[in-house]
Amino acid sequence: MSFEPAKPKVYLLTFAALLVLTVITVLAAKLTLPKIPMGILILDLNIVLAMAIACVKASLVVLYFMHFKDMGQVSKVWAVAGVFFLLVMFFMTLGDYENRPSEETVGWTESGPLHDARP
Amino acid sequence: MSTHEGDLHVGHQFEDAEQQLDSYSAGMWLFLVTEVLFFGGLFLAYIIYRTRYTEAFVAAHHELDWQLGGLNTVILITSSLTMALGVRAAVLNRMKAVLGWLGLTFLCAGGFMVVKYIEYSAKFEHNLFPGPNFEFHHAGIDPGQAQMFFNLYFAMTGLHGAHVLIGMITMIILVIRLWVMRKQRIDFIPIELTGLYWHFVDLVWIFLFPLFYLVGGN
Amino acid sequence: MSAAGVATKQPEAVNYLNVDNSIKSWLLTEDHKRIGILYLVTISLMFLVGGIFAMLIRLELLTPAGDVVMSDTYNKMFTMHGVIMIFFFLIPSIPAVLGNFCLPIMIGARDVAFPRLNLASWYVFTLGATLGVTALVLGGVDTGWTFYTPYSSSFSHTPVIIAVSGAFVAGFASIFTGLNFIVTIHKMRAPGMTWFRLPLFVWAQYATSLIMILGTPVIAITLLLVAVERGLRIGVFDPALGGDPVLFQHLFWFYSHPAVYIMILPGMGVMSELIATFSRKRIFGYEFVAYSSLAIAVLSFVVWGHHMFVSGQSMYLSMVFSVLTTLVAIPSAVKIFNWAVTMHKGHVKLDSPMLYALSFIGLFTIGGLTGLFLSAMAVDIHLHDTYFVVAHFHYVMVGGAIVAFLGALHYWWPKMTGRMYPEPWAKLSALIVFIGFNLTFFPQFILGYLGMPRRYHSYPDEWQTLNVLSSAGASILASGFILVAVYLLWSLRYGAKAPANPWDATGLEWKTPSPPPPTNFTQRPIITEEAYNYPIVLSKNGEPGEAVKQEEAEKHEHA
Amino acid sequence: MRLPFANIPIWPEGASKAAFEMDLLYLVIVGLTVFFCIIVFGLVIYFVAKYYAGSKADRSNPTFHNMPLELAWSLIPLALGLFVFGWAAKLFVEMQAPIHSENALNIYVVGKQWMWQMQHPTGQRENNELHIPVGRPVKLTLISQDVIHSFYVPAFRTKTDVVPGRYRTLWFEPTKVGKYHLFCAEFCGTKHAEMIGWVHVLSPEDYEKWMQDNRWGMGDEGVTVAQAGQALYEQLQCSSCHAPEQRIGPPLTGLYGSTRTLSDGRRVVADYDYLRQAILDPQAVTVSGHEPIMPPYRGQLTEQEVIQLIEFIKTLSAPQAPPVAEAEQSDDLGGNG
Ligand code: HEA
Ligand code: HEA
Ligand code: CUA
Ligand SMILES: [Cu+2]
């Protein structure tokens, strides 16, 4: 994997993009986006947007500063695997919180879980 | 860059410099994967409590100064840039440039820690550090839930700060090593690896900043 | 012994043991083989300590009344037993001892990719183990090895923080080992060593390392949070602090379920080596066995909730976890059947490692199938936290992992030490362990269905007979382990010199002298054949043909 | 059940409706286990005997791959495993679901280091013992005051973790008169092994008698849980805000089981957990249209007292019905019943 270092221009452009995106996140936080109630949890679109921007920024860092594409196969596969298992952990655990039985755990014979009052 | 690799030191276990470089960079990426999952546990806790205690989180985040947070974001991004340029200089074997870039990166890291210190001490002053002395008064907000925000704030930024410190120590060691071996071709592998680590530290902050300072939607 | 006598007269070849004898050379060694030995010494000590606690537990449970020790003491005993056996013995056992010793040789490398990290791993591990022992010396911890909050974080009066830090620190050792193995397997293979020429032990180690790398950081952060919650009262788990105790269980089992496969996968790798060698045949369905290791490792991350069926976790999520648990059992089934069928048309020899291998098949099958009871949600409502669970995990961990470890130790002992152990005693020990083990833990299945809860130091009178049987079995089992320790130690001094290939096995580690030279090989091996290239007989029209090497035979087959 | 030749118990008594099916399922899995053990052990023994090194068995043309075979021993166990899963899941759901019956008993259980406190709706209280009538569905509502405990009655084949901060429910229907072990199954500290007791399943007559005898036995002079709650409600002066004429807090009549809209937009059902939180941490669940001025009662009430308050609030939802157990079921199930 002997890598050819990128031109300084690439780094500077990445840097500029990161700065711009930082400004965008700050501005985006000033908006008040809807909060969507989901059962006992709340999905807040503000945070969804902020995380989307953060993901773009993170990808820039990984792709250009960490010159991901020059990395060997092993590093690439493992980096993806790491993120994948992280998401597995997040979503399976959240699946619990979204569906916790409340006082009444109503069976499937009934018309669905009682405690969930989604319209 | 294979021309330069010829005169690098190759560990006894390796056949050649290429295998060595490959192994080290793969090793570093694997290490970063473990770091992702290490922070992951905390992020999971954040997601859960944030969705449960949304209002308290919104109220509590006003206690943080987004301008200081933003400043720190800029500082860290800058340090990532200088680090990337430092790594580049190392591969190109430009000793002075390496020292210069590493020095700048170190300064940025130091600046980051100073800002953190200011922020932390303000929190301590206002009794916002979780524990028996914790005080949070805001109409309609359960202080216990606000405390959860600060629990996570201190746990996550604290852990991140520890990573910054480790990065700074590593940079000092790098510079000493460079100085000791100044007569030789620059061994860029350690610099490259530190660079990867440093970018990762930046990357974590990129997520922490909006999560804590810009909870948003007042 | 005469062999040893003769040998002393000739100048001995330089090997990794005699190259330098100073203590310093051991403590600063970067040789993977020596690090393996260092690990072996440490974990054997930990096994001894954990085993002593086990015997005390069984002593207490001899009578229904809690009369031998106080309840607090008992609670500390099973906690220290569990913590030591899991974090400080079983998790590093096969990977860090035999993996470290054999893996680089098996792939034809001079060493692992990062020898210094490897040494650091041992130091970090020893530090962790020392912290664990410190917690013990300070009176012991009483939370159970699972450290459930809020008991561990807010209620226990014992040095939980120290024990937790011990496990935390030892976790890094395991991360280092995993990281090292993965890079080593990817980057350090000798020329010609393709993936499908790798011994199955290496595949298993790769799968194990995957879990070590992806799982261990999560337990690290979780334990750190427990320590912080306990020390500073900054908490995310204690409901009194606004936290959710079940979140701890999610995070804990996200690691600790995969961790049980950290314990068994290397054992399964060992099994493939033993069965192949002592049947003189390649493992049936090599690719299936190889891929099943990876399948187990990946699936292991999506079943953790089966430990939480009665914890108040969402019912729907429980179902997902339950059905995925059924899936993860399949790759294990694949392995069991492939091993059994490997013996078909082989030349089966019952040397002591093979005896251990066969008892593995028996005990793991029972242990694994009892996992099926527990993964069936309704049945688990009844069985959760009873002795059924205790019996299940001892069947897979002692009957599976430790029996495999002992098999591996016997198999590679000549290579590691250059000495042969007395085979009749070894056979006897395998038998004693098998009998003692079943007597100890089979009654516990019955106790479990009767409803005896675990972590109880006293129990209703009517269950005494079964408990006495179990305690009796435990003493037989312990004598089996002690016997092993005695003759292995004896062999270090008095054992016959081991030849390079005492089992007439294939595989690179048997092509280098016993014990191997410091750099493993005199020159870098070039690999031209697969790992299990045993001769087989081909016949045409019922006429026996010549014995040919397996790989050539396959070429004929395909031609 | 015991072994005939020795005094060794091998089968636990079953005394609940779920026990029978659970035992059946268990036996089926035992059967599967024996089946696979016979196959695996049989193969191993047969091959070892036949292909023992030096034996004369024919070893020519061995095979190393066999796709159909591999598929068979993957898919058959998978199918059997899924069958077991399906059955177990069905039983699991049934065991969690409320048992529909006119006369279900609702008993509250508070677990704390190291005892079980039971509160019968009619006011009887007992520690570490539970008296229930045979043949009547029982609903336990459980919560822990400190660490996690687990309420386990082997004869009923059921258990549930009892968690702090959250109500859990456990349904069962005892079918056999007798005295059964009650254990705490989740490790909870020093006296975990002594957090045990007995469940007495009584014939209806004995149960009546027990109820009468214990009316003034333990607890508060024979008041029902709801009455105790009412007393508490008055003592804490909840009505100074919640009495309809005060117009400070929302009136609590008809609250239980209704759907509430909170100030942050969430819509939740006012169930036990909600009421508990509304009392202990009112600011966590501020009702939309109200100022968050209710004082939090966290730390001032024991779990038993919270239960009493909730039980009292429940009675306000069904003003016409007397606050006794018989009325439970209909309002528990809201529109579904
Ligand atoms: C080495 C360690 C190890 C291994 C390999 C396993 C393997 C398995 N375990 Fe086990 N387990 C533990 C260690 C291990 N376990 C420990 C330590 C605990 C308790 C922790 C604690 O609470 O302290 C535990 C607890 C535990 C529970 C939770 C019980 C409870 O607390 O209520 C469950 C529930 O699903 C479970 C299931 C399984 C299953 C399905 C497998 C499967 O992987 C088994 C697969 C193998 C087979 C199935 C046998 C071979 C197959 C055949 C012969 C073909 C036929 C197969 C079918 C019909 C499916 N285990
Ligand atoms: C690797 C894991 C491992 C091993 C090997 C063992 C081994 C044994 N275990 Fe244990 N056990 C656990 C893991 C393990 N256990 C865990 C995780 C728990 C749960 C804890 C909790 O609830 O939190 C548990 C709990 C547990 C209980 C339940 C306690 C309770 O819930 O109240 C019991 C009871 O019988 C028991 C018994 C035994 C016995 C008799 C052995 C015997 O096999 C031990 C015999 C061994 C010896 C006597 C040592 C001899 C060793 C030497 C002489 C050194 C020689 C060295 C070499 C050969 C290299 N164990
Ligand atoms: Cu309560 Cu164990
Ligand atoms: Cu598990």
Side-chain angles (χ1 to χ4, degrees):
Chain A
M1 184 224 64
S2 56
F3 59 86
E4 201 74 39
K7 302 232 157 49
K9 205 174 114 195
V10 176
Y11 292 136
L12 285 171
L13 280 177
T14 313
F15 174 65
L18 288 173
L19 286 186
V20 171
L21 285 168
T22 306
V23 173
I24 294 182
T25 359
V26 173
L27 294 180
K30 302 280 176 217
L31 302 173
T32 305
L33 296 179
K35 295 188 173 55
I36 304 174
M38 301 187 6
I40 56 163
L41 301 182
I42 295 182
L43 183 68
D44 177 352
L45 285 189
N46 268 100
I47 207 71
V48 174
L49 180 62
M51 285 301 98
I53 299 174
C55 286
V56 175
K57 289 167 80 178
S59 319
L60 288 178
V61 172
V62 171
L63 287 177
Y64 297 107
F65 281 165
M66 299 168 88
H67 40 86
F68 185 66
K69 75 172 185 342
D70 296 333
M71 289 301 148
Q73 202 71 27
V74 192
S75 313
K76 286 185 184 164
V77 171
W78 273 85
V80 174
V83 174
F84 173 75
F85 282 100
L86 184 72
L87 294 179
V88 165
M89 179 170 89
F90 284 0
F91 283 106
M92 291 195 83
T93 309
L94 287 173
D96 178 11
Y97 288 83
E98 174 57 1
N99 292 306
R100 279 273 175 85
S102 189
E103 169 215 341
E104 302 282 27
T105 317
V106 175
W108 284 4
T109 48
E110 296 300 326
S111 56
L114 228 193
H115 59 96
D116 184 357
R118 260 173 260 182
Chain B
M1 293 293 101
S2 39
T3 44
H4 294 300
E5 279 159 13
D7 42 14
L8 277 181
H9 168 78
V10 177
H12 76 94
Q13 72 275 29
F14 296 115
E15 296 303 315
D16 53 35
E18 163 127 14
Q19 187 189 27
Q20 167 161 319
L21 177 58
D22 273 6
S23 302
Y24 275 111
S25 87
M28 192 64 200
W29 277 90
L30 284 175
F31 173 71
L32 295 182
V33 165
T34 68
E35 288 274 31
V36 167
L37 284 139
F38 191 62
F39 278 98
L42 284 170
F43 277 98
L44 178 59
Y46 178 92
I47 299 175
I48 285 167
Y49 293 117
R50 154 100 196 217
T51 42
R52 272 192 169 186
Y53 304 151
T54 308
E55 288 198 324
F57 271 48
V58 171
H61 103 279
H62 289 301
E63 297 293 330
L64 302 185
D65 186 342
W66 73 264
Q67 287 160 335
L68 285 183
L71 176 63
N72 256 352
T73 311
V74 174
I75 293 181
L76 266 197
I77 293 178
T78 313
S79 77
S80 242
L81 172 72
T82 54
M83 182 52 108
L85 292 171
V87 172
R88 179 171 182 277
V91 177
L92 300 175
N93 198 16
R94 296 182 189 148
M95 178 62 96
K96 275 202 189 125
V98 176
L99 288 176
W101 290 125
L102 280 182
L104 274 179
T105 314
F106 187 84
L107 281 184
C108 285
F112 179 90
M113 292 312 283
V114 170
V115 176
K116 261 279 82 94
Y117 175 77
I118 297 172
E119 287 192 82
Y120 273 20
S121 36
K123 301 286 141 346
F124 276 100
E125 244 165 59
H126 295 116
N127 283 335
L128 286 171
F129 187 76
N133 297 328
F134 183 80
E135 271 177 41
F136 185 85
H137 305 289
H138 194 291
I141 299 301
D142 182 0
Q145 301 186 355
Q147 176 165 332
M148 184 58 80
F149 177 85
F150 287 101
N151 280 341
L152 291 167
Y153 169 76
F154 280 103
M156 292 170 86
T157 58
L159 195 63
H160 176 261
H163 278 76
V164 174
L165 272 185
I166 293 173
M168 291 172 75
I169 295 170
T170 320
M171 279 180 242
I172 296 178
I173 296 174
L174 273 189
V175 170
I176 294 175
R177 223 180 95 107
L178 278 174
W179 186 248
V180 171
M181 310 207 297
R182 62 187 173 280
K183 296 264 147 53
Q184 300 162 22
R185 205 211 105 77
I186 296 181
D187 177 7
F188 68 88
I189 294 182
I191 305 182
E192 155 82 8
L193 300 186
T194 314
L196 287 176
Y197 171 83
W198 192 253
H199 298 310
F200 174 79
V201 171
D202 182 24
L203 198 147
V204 172
W205 184 258
I206 286 179
F207 284 94
L208 291 184
F209 174 55
L211 286 181
F212 286 107
Y213 295 84
L214 304 174
V215 172
N218 315 319
Chain C
M1 258 139 288
S2 58
V6 174
T8 43
K9 288 191 188 95
Q10 300 158 349
E12 247 189 303
V14 175
N15 61 47
Y16 82 103
L17 290 171
N18 65 12
V19 62
D20 187 347
N21 267 326
S22 65
I23 300 222
K24 187 171 153 236
S25 76
W26 275 91
L27 291 182
L28 295 181
T29 182
E30 293 181 11
D31 183 339
H32 65 99
K33 300 181 285 302
R34 285 191 160 199
I35 296 173
I37 301 289
L38 289 177
Y39 256 116
L40 178 59
V41 174
T42 323
I43 66 158
S44 298
L45 287 177
M46 295 319 275
F47 182 47
L48 184 59
V49 178
I52 291 172
F53 279 114
M55 298 319 289
L56 290 173
I57 292 175
R58 284 317 323 168
L59 185 65
E60 167 65 67
L61 293 178
L62 212 49
T63 55
D67 41 12
V68 177
V69 294
M70 311 269 292
S71 54
D72 261 334
T73 317
Y74 181 81
N75 297 342
K76 290 171 181 169
M77 285 183 338
F78 69 70
T79 304
M80 295 320 291
H81 167 68
V83 168
I84 289 176
M85 284 297 199
I86 294 221
F87 292 113
F88 303 128
F89 169 63
L90 198 49
I91 286 184
S93 62
I94 298 181
V97 177
L98 298 153
N100 247 335
F101 191 94
C102 297
L103 189 137
I105 311 185
M106 283 177 147
I107 64 172
R110 280 192 291 271
D111 205 325
V112 292
F114 312 118
R116 239 175 291 158
L117 187 68
N118 204 8
L119 180 64
S121 151
W122 178 73
Y123 274 104
V124 168
F125 175 75
T126 309
L127 175 67
T130 313
L131 282 170
V133 173
T134 311
L136 203 157
V137 173
L138 292 179
V141 175
D142 72 344
T143 57
W145 81 278
T146 46
F147 298 116
Y148 271 18
T149 54
Y151 184 73
S152 63
S153 65
S154 307
F155 287 84
S156 173
H157 298 291
T158 52
V160 177
I161 296 188
I162 297 179
V164 160
S165 334
F168 174 84
V169 169
F172 283 94
S174 160
I175 291 179
F176 292 169
T177 305
L179 196 154
N180 230 328
F181 283 180
I182 289 190
V183 176
T184 305
I185 296 171
H186 272 291
K187 299 290 175 195
M188 311 290 283
R189 279 170 289 137
M193 181 57 94
T194 58
W195 282 89
F196 288 99
R197 281 176 178 167
L198 286 175
L200 286 162
F201 182 68
V202 178
W203 278 93
Q205 287 296 344
Y206 189 87
T208 312
S209 307
L210 186 150
I211 305 177
M212 286 175 159
I213 285 209
L214 295 171
T216 319
V218 177
I219 192 77
I221 191 70
T222 312
L223 295 179
L224 198 63
L225 284 173
V226 170
V228 170
E229 179 160 329
R230 196 179 161 80
L232 303 177
R233 306 299 299 138
I234 305 184
V236 292
F237 300 131
D238 187 344
L241 300 171
D244 176 16
V246 178
L247 175 61
F248 171 84
Q249 297 177 22
H250 280 297
L251 289 170
F252 180 84
W253 291 114
F254 179 82
Y255 164 75
S256 293
H257 179 79
V260 309
Y261 296 105
I262 295 184
M263 306 173 211
I264 202 69
L265 273 170
M268 292 170 154
V270 167
M271 282 297 293
S272 300
E273 300 301 312
L274 298 186
I275 302 268
T277 298
F278 294 99
S279 309
R280 299 193 61 67
K281 227 180 125 237
R282 190 218 306 196
I283 290 291
F284 191 87
Y286 172 101
E287 291 83 0
F288 276 87
V289 178
Y291 283 132
S292 66
S293 292
L294 292 184
I296 289 179
V298 170
L299 285 172
S300 73
F301 280 96
V302 292
V303 303
W304 78 83
H306 65 214
H307 295 270
M308 299 166 60
F309 287 151
V310 301
S311 69
Q313 139 183 287
S314 152
M315 183 166 73
Y316 309 102
L317 190 67
S318 288
M319 292 194 187
V320 173
F321 279 127
S322 174
V323 76
L324 288 170
T325 305
T326 313
L327 284 189
V328 77
I330 302 308
S332 306
V334 167
K335 282 179 192 276
I336 295 268
F337 288 118
N338 277 305
W339 291 326
V341 172
T342 298
M343 288 184 279
H344 178 66
K345 300 204 172 175
H347 302 255
V348 181
K349 277 186 296 178
L350 292 183
D351 291 312
S352 50
M354 184 63 163
L355 287 184
Y356 277 106
L358 295 181
S359 34
F360 176 102
I361 295 190
L363 301 179
F364 179 76
T365 303
I366 298 178
L369 282 162
T370 52
L372 192 66
F373 291 75
L374 299 170
S375 71
M377 291 181 286
V379 183
D380 186 61
I381 292 186
H382 177 51
L383 294 178
H384 174 71
D385 269 344
T386 63
Y387 264 79
F388 195 95
V389 178
V390 174
H392 156 70
F393 66 69
H394 283 93
Y395 260 83
V396 277
M397 295 202 299
V398 183
I402 292 192
V403 163
F405 175 64
L406 289 181
L409 205 56
H410 284 82
Y411 181 56
W412 280 305
W413 188 258
K415 183 58 60 185
M416 297 168 80
T417 63
R419 301 288 179 153
M420 298 302 290
Y421 48 80
E423 176 67 16
W425 287 104
K427 286 204 167 99
L428 181 65
S429 77
L431 199 67
I432 296 181
V433 168
F434 183 79
I435 294 173
F437 176 83
N438 280 299
L439 188 56
T440 313
F441 294 106
F442 198 81
Q444 296 187 1
F445 283 125
I446 302 172
L447 280 171
Y449 201 71
L450 287 170
M452 176 162 166
R454 57 193 281 207
R455 299 170 173 172
Y456 266 36
H457 79 306
S458 55
Y459 54 86
D461 293 344
E462 64 258 33
W463 294 335
Q464 184 172 13
T465 324
L466 286 165
N467 272 299
V468 170
L469 282 179
S470 179
S471 295
S475 49
I476 300 178
L477 178 59
S479 41
F481 287 139
I482 291 170
L483 178 60
V484 174
V486 169
Y487 67 71
L488 286 185
L489 287 174
W490 178 88
S491 78
L492 285 181
R493 182 158 256 247
Y494 306 104
K497 279 258 157 219
N501 189 357
W503 316 117
D504 201 9
T506 58
L508 282 181
E509 78 270 33
W510 303 112
K511 300 209 165 93
T512 185
S514 306
T519 50
N520 295 347
F521 304 98
T522 32
Q523 77 227 69
R524 187 164 212 218
I526 311 277
I527 284 72
T528 52
E529 55 176 33
E530 59 140 312
Y532 310 106
N533 206 1
Y534 289 98
I536 56 171
V537 177
L538 290 180
S539 73
K540 280 206 185 89
N541 314 328
E543 304 230 342
E546 282 170 67
V548 294
K549 283 287 183 107
Q550 193 157 296
E551 266 188 3
E552 290 158 39
E554 298 223 326
K555 275 179 212 133
H556 288 283
E557 214 175 82
H558 290 296
Chain D
M1 199 196 293
R2 284 162 193 281
L3 278 187
F5 47 86
N7 189 19
I8 303 179
I10 52 166
W11 200 261
E13 215 168 339
S16 78
K17 265 207 166 147
F20 176 74
E21 193 172 345
M22 167 110 47
D23 286 352
L24 194 64
L25 174 55
Y26 179 79
L27 279 177
V28 167
I29 312 181
V30 170
L32 270 179
T33 304
V34 172
F35 172 73
F36 278 107
C37 285
I38 290 176
I39 293 188
V40 172
F41 301 173
L43 278 180
V44 167
I45 293 170
Y46 175 73
F47 286 150
V48 169
K50 179 153 181 204
Y51 297 109
Y52 192 76
S55 76
K56 293 226 170 57
D58 172 24
R59 292 184 173 84
S60 59
N61 300 339
T63 51
F64 302 99
H65 298 275
N66 190 327
M67 199 55 166
L69 210 54
E70 299 281 355
L71 285 181
W73 62 49
S74 318
L75 296 182
I76 294 174
L78 179 64
L80 292 170
L82 289 178
F83 162 73
V84 169
F85 160 75
W87 185 354
K90 171 189 151 278
L91 185 57
F92 183 75
V93 172
E94 284 172 8
M95 287 173 71
Q96 308 269 309
I99 303 173
H100 295 287
S101 149
E102 281 307 295
N103 61 352
L105 264 176
N106 186 6
I107 298 172
Y108 295 92
V109 179
V110 174
K112 62 181 196 188
Q113 284 177 331
W114 290 276
M115 68 192 304
W116 297 106
Q117 300 179 321
M118 330 282 180
Q119 272 187 89
H120 293 256
T122 39
Q124 290 80 355
R125 295 206 213 166
E126 37 185 343
N127 289 340
N128 296 334
E129 310 238 347
L130 180 62
H131 290 81
I132 44 176
V134 71
R136 223 169 122 183
V138 177
K139 172 194 178 196
L140 300 184
T141 303
L142 315 97
I143 194 162
S144 159
Q145 194 148 308
D146 35 50
V147 300
I148 303 178
H149 304 273
S150 191
F151 189 96
Y152 179 33
V153 186
F156 298 160
R157 308 282 188 278
T158 195
K159 76 160 69 68
T160 185
D161 277 10
V162 180
V163 188
R166 232 173 104 196
Y167 292 107
R168 306 269 292 122
T169 47
L170 190 66
W171 284 90
F172 53 84
E173 184 173 337
T175 52
K176 218 156 102 190
V177 172
K179 185 178 167 204
Y180 307 106
H181 284 293
L182 158 66
F183 295 120
C184 173
E186 183 61 65
F187 181 68
C188 54
T190 307
K191 292 190 181 164
H192 161 64
E194 282 140 62
M195 195 167 158
I196 56 178
W198 295 100
V199 175
H200 304 263
V201 178
L202 306 174
S203 65
E205 305 79 56
D206 287 351
Y207 177 66
E208 261 329 298
K209 185 164 177 308
W210 181 84
M211 294 281 276
Q212 290 308 325
D213 290 353
N214 287 274
R215 207 150 180 110
W216 284 272
M218 325 167 86
D220 314 27
E221 293 77 50
V223 291
T224 64
V225 174
Q227 281 161 355
Q230 187 166 15
L232 205 55
Y233 187 79
E234 271 145 28
Q235 184 198 328
L236 294 169
Q237 297 181 335
C238 308
S239 50
S240 65
C241 297
H242 284 288
E245 63 279 8
Q246 294 292 350
R247 302 194 172 208
I248 303 175
L252 302 180
T253 343
L255 172 60
Y256 177 76
S258 67
T259 302
R260 313 296 298 158
T261 306
L262 305 186
S263 60
D264 54 11
R266 281 181 296 168
R267 287 164 61 77
V268 292
V269 171
D271 55 16
Y272 286 17
D273 278 318
Y274 170 81
L275 293 179
R276 181 174 179 279
Q277 217 178 3
I279 297 170
L280 296 180
D281 301 311
Q283 289 161 343
V285 285
T286 311
V287 187
S288 124
H290 286 272
E291 283 303 306
I293 49 167
M294 171 166 162
Y297 287 87
R298 174 171 295 287
Q300 300 173 31
L301 299 170
T302 64
E303 291 296 346
Q304 288 211 336
E305 289 168 337
V306 178
I307 286 170
Q308 291 162 359
L309 281 173
I310 294 177
E311 189 67 10
F312 168 65
I313 295 174
K314 260 176 78 175
T315 61
L316 297 176
S317 307
Q320 73 282 14
V324 291
E326 276 72 24
E328 293 304 292
Q329 207 46 49
S330 49
D331 54 12
D332 268 3
L333 287 165
N336 290 332

